[in-house]
Amino acid sequence: NAGVTQTPKFRILKIGQSMTLQCTQDMNHNYMYWYRQDPGMGLKLIYYSVGAGITDKGEVPNGYNVSRSTTEDFPLRLELAAPSQTSVYFCASTEGKGATFFGQGTRLTVV
Amino acid sequence: GESVGLHLPTLSVQEGDNSIINCAYSNSASDYFIWYKQESGKGPQFIIDIRSNMDKRQGQRVTVLLNKTVKHLSLQIAATQPGDSAVYFCAEILRNTPLVFGKGTRLSVIA
């Protein structure tokens, strides 16, 4: 059982480039989340989804987009990368109340 | 501002002693709380949860206490071990809305 899998683990982007952070879970969870974590800080919610076809903005959605075409996958798209988006990105999933499972993170640097 | 916060950003304890990590929350309607442990370079890992209709829950070497009167949550770790060194986050859920995380407390265990 793989849990939550994120790819890539590391990425360096130039300012203005775009990329997609992949997230997939094999636990059939309806709820999926994207968080970013800046150094020494807590997690801030970017976007979340309560099921396939449904997405909602979190606390810091600007500069990002998501889609949820399947239960398993919840990719995060960065358009026109900026240095302020340098962070560690975590994808998570849960069935609702109960443990939320996190991926290992994607460390993104925008230069 | 954040509805979930922590009183102490860092905590150092001797190996074998008990650790207590505190958390304050501001939303009295939150009905579910979770403690997470995050080791360096890894994603948050579920430790223990508690529902708002409980005031105490015990796990293996960990106990979570909930005081709804003062909106306070604590995590107690018995016989702290070097492997407990990490950042600990509390998080709250209100009716299946996304987790709101505090900034975290770094626990350092002194051998």
Side-chain angles (χ1 to χ4, degrees):
Chain A
N1 196 348
V4 179
T5 303
Q6 290 183 236
T7 56
K9 287 187 171 57
F10 303 93
R11 183 71 185 268
I12 298 175
L13 278 182
K14 293 184 178 179
I15 295 172
Q17 286 185 321
S18 301
M19 76 165 293
T20 299
L21 282 68
Q22 301 292 343
C23 176
T24 188
Q25 51 94 5
D26 61 0
M27 297 171 282
N28 202 32
H29 288 165
N30 282 319
Y31 297 84
M32 294 189 74
Y33 310 95
W34 273 106
Y35 291 90
R36 60 175 287 174
Q37 185 176 35
D38 298 328
M41 301 295 287
L43 294 100
K44 293 187 176 181
L45 182 66
I46 305 171
Y47 270 94
Y48 68 102
S49 169
V50 300
I54 306 170
T55 62
D56 280 295
K57 295 179 180 179
E59 183 184 357
V60 289
N62 291 343
Y64 308 95
N65 278 299
V66 294
S67 60
R68 185 89 184 276
S69 57
T70 67
T71 299
E72 295 77 20
D73 300 307
F74 190 39
L76 177 72
R77 178 80 178 164
L78 277 73
E79 305 281 2
L80 299 174
S84 61
Q85 293 178 303
T86 294
S87 189
V88 180
Y89 291 83
F90 289 102
C91 178
S93 75
T94 179
E95 61 183 11
K97 292 287 170 61
T100 298
F101 296 88
F102 285 80
Q104 289 299 296
T106 296
R107 186 175 298 274
L108 175 67
T109 302
V110 181
V111 296
Chain B
E2 291 189 354
S3 67
V4 177
L6 293 169
H7 296 306
L8 297 173
T10 58
L11 177 66
S12 295
V13 297
Q14 290 286 341
E15 182 179 358
D17 287 352
N18 296 336
S19 302
I20 300 176
I21 301 171
N22 297 304
C23 178
Y25 65 95
S26 59
N27 192 336
S28 58
S30 291
D31 54 3
Y32 183 63
F33 304 89
I34 306 177
W35 279 101
Y36 284 89
K37 173 185 181 183
Q38 187 176 24
E39 295 173 283
S40 181
K42 296 183 179 180
Q45 180 183 8
F46 173 89
I47 302 174
I48 191 168
D49 58 357
I50 188 168
R51 297 186 183 277
S52 60
N53 61 355
M54 304 169 67
D55 53 20
K56 180 179 181 179
R57 191 166 189 216
Q58 288 184 296
Q60 187 178 10
R61 282 202 307 118
V62 295
T63 300
V64 56
L65 299 178
L66 176 62
N67 186 331
K68 293 183 287 294
T69 302
V70 295
K71 289 182 282 189
H72 183 267
L73 195 68
S74 69
L75 177 70
Q76 301 178 0
I77 304 173
T80 311
Q81 302 170 358
D84 295 326
S85 294
V87 177
Y88 290 81
F89 295 95
C90 65
E92 61 180 321
I93 295 179
L94 170 63
R95 296 190 199 92
N96 287 336
T97 57
L99 294 172
V100 176
F101 285 86
K103 287 189 174 64
T105 292
R106 181 173 301 280
L107 176 64
S108 295
V109 181
I110 304 166

